Amino acid sequence: MREYKMRRGEHLEERIPDMEATIEEYFGPPTATESYEGSDLHVVEDPENPVFERIVAGTVEYGSKKDTLAVHFEERPAEEVIAEGNADAAADAVDAKNEFLLEATGRDAKSRRESMKRTVEDDAETPDNV
């Protein structure tokens, strides 16, 4: 599960007021919920794009800091997707993921990668026994 922060000064509930409807728009109707870090996330068991096997997404609420977007994309092996004749669906899957994450976070793929790198670097610099 990956968590994404919003841009400075922005909040997830302002960017996506109806998370369930937005997930349905991009990936298909959520059919269940799954608990993560004390929050219920939406689960799409049968995504519309054949590349995806299962998608878990939603808002993780933290009392003392800004909410984050948590997402987990389970993808089918590329060989299976190609064997079924759905190779074109791969590009659509990448577009759907990137557009959803851009709408939710306000960050494009490049800035999301840079933010993740900074988080990893910050974690590496922090001693465990402080």
Side-chain angles (χ1 to χ4, degrees):
M1 186 76 62
R2 277 200 168 152
E3 288 190 40
Y4 296 90
K5 296 177 182 178
M6 304 310 104
R7 290 190 306 191
R8 182 168 291 158
E10 293 187 357
H11 297 273
L12 182 56
E13 63 273 5
E14 293 168 358
R15 295 195 64 80
I16 299 185
D18 187 345
M19 182 62 73
E20 184 174 4
T22 303
I23 291 168
E24 183 170 353
E25 177 185 329
Y26 282 97
F27 307 111
T31 53
T33 60
E34 187 173 291
S35 184
Y36 174 76
E37 298 288 330
S39 296
D40 287 332
L41 306 182
H42 302 284
V43 179
V44 181
E45 294 287 354
D46 188 22
E48 293 172 354
N49 188 305
V51 170
F52 299 119
E53 193 164 301
R54 183 173 187 261
I55 298 169
V56 180
T59 304
V60 179
E61 297 176 8
Y62 292 103
S64 61
K65 60 181 183 176
K66 287 198 317 187
D67 297 345
T68 62
L69 173 70
V71 182
H72 178 70
F73 296 103
E74 287 182 30
E75 297 182 8
R76 296 176 49 224
E79 304 81 36
E80 278 183 30
V81 175
I82 292 169
E84 292 174 356
N86 291 320
D88 293 343
D92 293 339
V94 170
D95 288 345
K97 285 194 301 190
N98 283 327
E99 289 171 12
F100 173 73
L101 292 170
L102 176 62
E103 181 176 345
T105 66
R107 298 175 173 194
D108 62 11
K110 181 179 178 182
S111 65
R112 288 193 308 269
R113 276 192 303 274
E114 290 171 359
S115 178
M116 291 276 190
K117 283 182 192 175
R118 282 192 302 275
T119 301
V120 170
E121 289 168 356
D122 290 346
D123 290 348
E125 292 174 7
T126 305
D128 291 335
N129 55 359
V130 175

